[in-house]
Structures are given as structure tokens and as C-alpha cells.
Amino acid sequence: MPTILTHPLVKHRVTLMRDINTKPKLFRELVNEITEFLAIESLRNLKTVDVPVTTPVGDTVGAKIGESIVIVPILRAGLGMLDAMLRILPYAKVGVLGMQRNEETAEPIPYCAKVPQAKGDELAIVIDPMLATGGSACDAFSQLKKLGYRRIVFLNLVAAPEGIAKVEKEHPDVPVFTAAKDERLNSSFYIVPGLGDAGDRIFGTLTS
Ligand code: PRP
Ligand code: URA
């Protein structure tokens, strides 16, 4: 089962993000703010190493993040979550996977892949606001596994039950963190109630 954020500050932001009247500037801000909550919740078990630190009052032992991380936005809409991730993990690497759904079948069509080969036990954090059929996310996880990633986590804003089921069946080792689990997909494979086309709302390319 995915971890679904239940914090009232997240629910408030998800509601604003869903609103048809929310314009791209606010939409992008909300995507980033919710992403920060997702990152904090999903990364609570990151390994740390002890480091000495001298305060103005004395010496103590502190902690610093002790693992290597690659953030992987699925283009295009995943880019909307990247600023927030890099604010929280400024030392992380970034790799990108481009995927476009076929409008009739919803099959993902990969068009770009630029992700470094995994080094050791590196953690890959895949980011994409929408988990609809699950095709794009599952394809991304398969590509990352071929590159040697053994630890993958998926951060998402709105998930459909169909997409969650596909990830759980095909990639049960990938934990999913989402800000909302919605009702279903419609006949065009859009999430209901969802928020419409995330990429268009982030990049201001809505045609109607
Ligand atoms: C959207 C979204 C996901 C995908 C989810 O991308 O950002 O990547 O659909 O759907 P799925 O779970 O059925 O695969 P889209 O293909 O519309 O491209 P875009 O991000 O460039 O707008
Ligand atoms: N992609 C989106 O942007 N929205 C959906 O509802 C489904 C896929």
C-alpha cells in the first residue's frame, strides 16, 4: 500500500491544486510545497554519519546525510517537483527520463533517457505528479533497474487505484508516497477527480 499523506496542510494544498481556477504560477508553487512534505515523509530513514561540529559554546557530534542520491523526474510534469527536491537535497544528482503517453492507449512512449549508471547502493527518487495507469512509472522503474538501481522510491501528488495496483504488482519493492489517492480513471485514462493534465497546468500549455 502507498503511504498517503494525511497532514491538513497537505490536504489544503491538494484542494487548491485541483481547483480549475488555479493558474500556473500558484499551481507550480503548490506542486513544490507538497513535494517538500513528500520528501520529508519519505526520507525519514536516510542514513546519516556522525560529524564533529563546533558551536560558539562548545564541541559536539552532529549528523550529515551519509548516502548518495539521484533524483529522477519523469518529463515533463516531473520537472515541476524538481526545485523542491533540490532545495531539500542540494547535493543530489539529477537524471531525467522523458515519456509521453499515447493519447489513445495511454501506453508510455519513452523519448529521452539521461540517468547516470547506479553506483553501489545509490538511492533513486523518481518524481512525477500523476500516477494514472502506472505505465510511465513502471517503465521508469524498469529503466532504472537496468542501470543498476536497487533502491528506488516514488514520490507522487495524485494516484489512481489502477496505477497503484500496477506498481504493486510489477515493482513491489518500490515504495510509493502520494498526497492523494483518487477514485478511478475515466475512459481517456485521466484521474477522477484528479487535477487535469499536470504538465499543461505546470507549463501553462492548456489549450482550452
Ligand atoms: C503524464 C504524467 C505522468 C503520466 C501518468 O505525463 O506526468 O508521467 O502522464 O500517466 P500513466 O500513469 O498512465 O503513465 P504525459 O504523458 O501527459 O506527459 P507530460 O508530462 O509531458 O505532459
Ligand atoms: N496525466 C495527467 O497529467 N493527468 C491525469 O489525470 C492522468 C495522466
Side-chain angles (χ1 to χ4, degrees):
M1 279 300 284
T3 300
I4 303 166
L5 300 195
T6 55
H7 199 295
L9 294 172
V10 173
K11 289 184 176 175
H12 178 94
R13 284 168 173 75
V14 169
T15 304
L16 288 174
M17 197 177 57
R18 290 187 194 278
D19 190 330
I20 192 171
N21 294 311
T22 296
K23 301 283 182 292
K25 179 177 183 292
L26 176 58
F27 191 88
R28 285 191 292 269
E29 289 166 3
L30 293 164
V31 167
N32 273 288
E33 288 169 8
I34 298 165
T35 301
E36 289 188 4
F37 284 96
L38 284 166
I40 289 164
E41 179 61 29
S42 61
L43 300 176
R44 58 170 71 242
N45 294 322
L46 274 187
K47 291 181 204 107
T48 57
V49 290
D50 291 349
V51 284
V53 60
T54 302
T55 79
V57 184
D59 294 335
T60 186
V61 177
K64 72 170 191 182
I65 301 301
E67 42 184 317
S68 178
I69 297 170
V70 183
I71 302 166
V72 184
I74 301 180
L75 307 182
R76 203 180 31 148
L79 284 179
M81 301 168 73
L82 184 59
D83 280 355
M85 292 303 295
L86 286 174
R87 258 199 305 279
I88 290 195
L89 299 168
Y91 40 77
K93 297 178 209 167
V94 177
V96 297
L97 292 174
M99 250 171 278
Q100 180 70 53
R101 294 200 312 174
N102 174 314
E103 281 183 14
E104 262 118 59
T105 64
E107 282 292 309
I109 305 164
Y111 61 84
C112 152
K114 188 81 183 164
V115 180
Q117 198 82 27
K119 280 204 185 126
D121 219 14
E122 219 163 20
L123 175 68
I125 307 175
V126 179
I127 52 176
D128 191 329
M130 307 308 277
L131 178 63
T133 65
S136 306
C138 285
D139 195 295
F141 306 151
S142 297
Q143 290 191 53
L144 290 173
K145 286 177 182 177
K146 281 194 192 129
L147 289 166
Y149 290 90
R150 295 188 298 267
R151 294 170 63 223
I152 302 172
V153 59
F154 182 51
L155 308 192
N156 163 254
L157 301 186
V158 182
E162 293 87 336
I164 293 169
K166 185 172 169 73
V167 171
E168 284 177 346
K169 181 160 179 266
E170 296 182 14
H171 297 276
D173 54 318
V174 177
V176 176
F177 291 80
T178 187
K181 180 179 171 190
D182 275 11
E183 287 166 24
R184 61 185 170 87
L185 296 179
N186 67 15
S187 57
S188 307
F189 306 104
Y190 270 75
I191 300 174
V192 181
L195 49 75
D197 188 303
D200 282 339
R201 296 197 65 181
I202 290 168
F203 292 104
T205 50
L206 274 172
T207 47
S208 53

